[in-house]
Amino acid sequence: MVVVISAPRRRRTPPWFGAEARRAAVAGLAAAALALAAGWPYWQAHRIAAAVTVVTCAALAAEGVLLATGGRAGRTGRLLVFASFAWAVNWFASWDAGVWPMLSPYAQAEFYLALSVGMLLYPTGRLEYLPDKVWAVAACVVLVVCPTGMWVFSEPEWAAFRGGSVWWPALYPDLDVFRVVLEVSTGLYVVLALTFAIVLLLRLPRMGRLKRVLTLPVTLAVMVVGVAAALTQKPVMQASVPLDELLKVYAIQGAVVVLVPLTLLASGLRARFAELTVAGRMLRLTAPVTVERVRDALRDVLHDPTLHLWFWAPDEGVYVDTEGRPVAIEPGGSPAGEAAGRWRREVLTAAGDPLAIVELGGALRDHGTLVEAALVAGGRALETARLQATVHANLEQVRSAYERLVRAETVERERLARDLHDGAQQRLLALGAMLGTLEAVTGDAAVKEHTRTCRRELKAALGELRALAREVQPALLAQAGLGPALEVVAERVGTRVRLDVAPDRYPREMETTLFAVLCEALSYAVQRARATCVSVRVRPDGRRLVAEVSDDGGSPGDPAADLAGLSGRIRALRGHVEVDGDPARGTTVRVVLPCE
């Protein structure tokens, strides 16, 4: 799906005067006219019942047409239109003639079946859960078999129809069997109504917040209609009931059914109102505009805390996240590793250029118009945030380059330390052995003295070379980690040092960088702050590694300025350094590195 951010166009006609509204009006008038004609013999003496029934049929048909043009709720809309005309046909029973008395129970059954299944399909347009499907199949069987049993085992008079021209097959008329059929049908209708209410309640916890808000009023209305239908139908499910009593029950049921289109209309108005208020909420939530504010505003408006937002960086030719890091994109605009049950929409500028990609929860597919309204309302904010994201992307490239430089430096340090150990140190050791041999075999006193002097100088040079190798890359750091390496440093600084270092191992560039920074902080505490006690603590904290160096000394200058050089190497690894101190309470250096 693609959303194009463009300037709003002015409508020439009000939104309620479009083709959809005209079709809904036509369908409503047709259903009302059919209901008026079908129940005319009864309406002449019961005008209030006529008005209620006509309004019910018209409202169901009109609401059904409106839903039928609304995407995923189209199936529910078509079933509502069918239900409205089925309810109108049901009233042909009032003529008490022809085939209509036999068809009336079928029309009533199909009305409730279409209404119930339509509500189970709302608003996604599909039966999502197993209980929905099982109930729908059971209802189809019950609402077809029970009306059939009525005319198979009865005479028309037993079923309230006494007209002389009634066509009623009555294949196996038997009053006792007919009474059993009525009792069984009554029980099945009650069971269907109760299980339908249970099925509707079971759906609610599985729905997303937006869907539940729209569905709950309709669910309660349909539950009331189902229970009312079962309760009002029971008194007329007996032999030889008067026709007026049967039609009175129809009128009561029709009056209750009007709750369904009213609640559907209320839910639709609520959804439209949410779309209309999106623009104002987006403006409030994104001021002042930042990348994070735009993302959080969309999460708040769409009630989706898992929403992700990627911006197109035209200079780099890639999509980047809110922190400017590149995101791998598969052909067709789908980020690699897309999780199941997610929905992704591409946002374009008015010129048709890529602007952003929004990934949402799959449940928002049922609220596409709300999502589109939010993206259009936040179009300007998205364009502004894209500029910030591009700047973040450029900074991210600099950080990535610096991070690669630190890693390359770590590798080069390891190589240099290895070369010093395997090359120069071994040569000096061999030279010392040769001088020792010369001293042993020579008999000249002057030569012996010069040999001893050369060996002393060579030993001093070898010590300096080993110290240089340790500074370049301590062998103990690579072999045993930060703890043992810092213990060796602490023994040499000449000040009491308390160490609390976790034994965990980390990537070599992280250990090397942190070791160098901690050594520099220790050197500052001893040489500049003249501390008598230094505390070093290195511990993991969730997905971070936190190191602290605290001393009791008094710095003659500004500790933050003196230790400013520490920040560069730490920022290269996406961490940060905090320096806090004064002469009265000493200095604390806090280093935080991400452990991802």
Side-chain angles (χ1 to χ4, degrees):
M1 297 291 292
V2 178
V3 177
V4 179
I5 304 300
S6 60
R9 292 177 295 180
R10 188 172 181 178
R11 298 177 65 107
R12 294 185 177 181
T13 58
W16 50 266
F17 195 64
E20 298 176 6
R22 290 194 293 270
R23 286 195 294 268
V26 170
L29 291 175
L34 181 61
L36 190 62
W40 184 253
Y42 186 73
W43 304 144
Q44 297 180 54
H46 304 84
R47 296 183 179 181
I48 295 179
V52 171
T53 302
V54 167
V55 169
T56 299
C57 292
L60 279 174
E63 184 65 33
V65 170
L66 293 176
L67 286 176
T69 58
R72 288 175 172 262
R75 293 182 179 178
T76 297
R78 289 188 287 272
L79 286 173
L80 287 183
V81 173
F82 176 80
S84 68
F85 284 94
W87 189 246
V89 170
N90 175 54
W91 280 96
F92 275 110
S94 64
W95 291 85
D96 199 11
V99 72
W100 300 115
M102 189 188 73
L103 294 181
S104 176
Y106 286 106
Q108 183 190 28
E110 296 310 311
F111 163 77
Y112 282 111
L113 180 61
L115 189 65
S116 302
V117 175
M119 293 303 102
L120 292 178
L121 291 170
Y122 181 80
T124 62
R126 60 185 182 275
L127 298 175
E128 298 183 279
Y129 311 113
L130 181 61
D132 300 0
K133 299 174 183 178
V134 172
W135 189 91
V137 172
C140 289
V141 173
V142 171
L143 294 178
V144 170
V145 171
C146 289
T148 302
M150 292 180 62
W151 59 261
V152 169
F153 297 105
S154 73
E155 295 290 349
E157 294 82 5
W158 304 346
F161 303 108
R162 296 170 177 81
S165 61
V166 173
W167 185 80
W168 195 271
L171 299 180
Y172 306 102
D174 188 312
L175 185 57
D176 293 334
V177 174
F178 177 62
R179 286 173 176 166
V180 172
V181 169
L182 291 178
E183 292 178 1
V184 172
S185 298
T186 301
L188 290 176
Y189 291 159
V190 172
V191 170
L192 274 183
L194 294 178
T195 53
F196 182 62
I198 294 173
V199 167
L200 290 177
L201 291 176
L202 290 176
R203 300 170 73 223
L204 293 177
R206 306 178 187 178
M207 295 179 177
R209 184 178 183 277
L210 287 174
K211 188 191 297 185
R212 187 161 53 245
V213 168
L214 292 178
T215 306
L216 181 59
V218 182
T219 298
L220 296 177
V222 174
M223 288 172 58
V224 171
V225 169
V227 174
L231 295 178
T232 55
Q233 191 73 16
K234 185 176 181 180
V236 296
M237 294 297 286
Q238 54 184 326
S240 302
V241 65
L243 180 58
D244 282 351
E245 290 296 323
L246 179 62
L247 297 178
K248 181 180 179 181
V249 168
Y250 288 172
I252 295 173
Q253 293 177 354
V256 177
V257 167
V258 79
L259 289 173
V260 174
L262 290 178
T263 53
L264 282 171
L265 180 61
S267 296
L269 290 175
R270 180 167 186 170
R272 297 300 174 267
F273 180 75
E275 295 172 12
L276 292 174
T277 58
V278 158
R281 294 182 64 189
M282 286 295 296
L283 288 176
R284 289 194 304 273
L285 294 173
T286 57
V289 176
T290 64
V291 174
E292 291 77 12
R293 278 181 176 272
V294 172
R295 180 199 59 195
D296 295 341
L298 288 172
R299 287 178 175 178
D300 183 79
V301 168
L302 299 176
H303 304 286
D304 183 6
T306 66
L307 181 145
H308 293 293
L309 183 61
W310 297 287
F311 293 94
W312 176 251
D315 295 337
E316 290 75 17
V318 296
Y319 281 95
V320 297
D321 61 14
T322 54
E323 297 180 358
R325 290 181 292 215
V327 179
I329 300 293
E330 295 179 350
S334 296
E338 176 184 356
R342 305 289 291 172
W343 185 37
R344 195 164 288 109
R345 298 197 68 168
E346 183 180 6
V347 184
L348 303 179
T349 64
D353 299 324
L355 176 59
I357 287 180
V358 182
E359 185 186 78
L360 314 109
L364 284 171
R365 290 179 183 272
D366 303 323
H367 308 278
T369 54
L370 178 62
V371 173
E372 183 173 357
L375 295 178
V376 171
R380 299 303 178 193
L382 284 171
E383 291 179 351
T384 303
R386 196 264 296 272
L387 297 177
Q388 296 182 6
T390 302
V391 174
H392 290 172
N394 294 334
L395 294 175
E396 179 64 22
Q397 286 189 338
V398 175
R399 284 194 294 265
S400 297
Y402 200 178
E403 185 176 358
R404 289 194 298 270
L405 181 61
V406 169
R407 289 175 178 171
E409 179 185 348
T410 301
V411 174
E412 188 62 22
R413 281 174 173 270
E414 292 177 353
R415 186 195 64 79
L416 183 57
R418 187 170 55 253
D419 289 347
L420 289 174
H421 179 272
D422 297 341
Q425 289 188 50
Q426 298 303 319
R427 287 180 180 274
L428 291 177
L429 287 173
L431 182 58
M434 293 172 63
L435 289 173
T437 303
L438 178 61
E439 181 183 359
V441 299
T442 185
D444 190 331
V447 173
K448 283 183 177 288
E449 183 61 28
H450 282 298
T451 303
R452 291 191 189 99
T453 302
C454 289
R455 289 184 65 189
R456 284 194 299 270
E457 294 296 328
L458 185 61
K459 186 176 181 181
L462 186 60
E464 292 176 0
L465 188 62
R466 285 173 175 168
L468 177 61
R470 282 195 299 269
E471 290 182 6
V472 171
Q473 182 68 28
L476 192 58
L477 176 63
Q479 295 170 1
L482 281 170
L486 288 173
E487 289 177 3
V488 174
V489 175
E491 292 172 357
R492 296 174 179 172
V493 296
T495 299
R496 187 160 58 95
V497 179
R498 293 196 301 266
L499 293 177
D500 179 13
V501 182
D504 303 339
R505 298 302 305 269
Y506 300 94
R508 58 184 183 179
E509 65 272 9
M510 182 183 293
E511 289 186 340
T512 301
T513 301
L514 187 57
F515 177 77
V517 168
L518 293 177
C519 287
E520 187 171 345
L522 273 172
S523 177
Y524 175 85
V526 174
Q527 298 178 8
R528 294 291 305 277
R530 304 297 180 183
T532 60
C533 181
V534 182
S535 174
V536 180
R537 185 176 185 273
V538 181
R539 287 288 171 182
D541 182 13
R543 301 181 64 180
R544 306 181 306 168
L545 178 63
V546 180
E548 288 185 353
V549 178
S550 303
D551 63 64
D552 60 356
S555 175
D558 182 7
D562 295 340
L563 296 172
L566 303 180
S567 300
R569 293 172 61 85
I570 296 299
R571 282 200 301 267
L573 297 178
R574 305 183 187 280
H576 64 274
V577 178
E578 301 171 2
V579 180
D580 180 28
D582 57 48
R585 53 186 176 85
T587 303
T588 299
V589 179
R590 190 170 188 266
V591 180
V592 180
L593 286 170
C595 300
E596 296 182 357

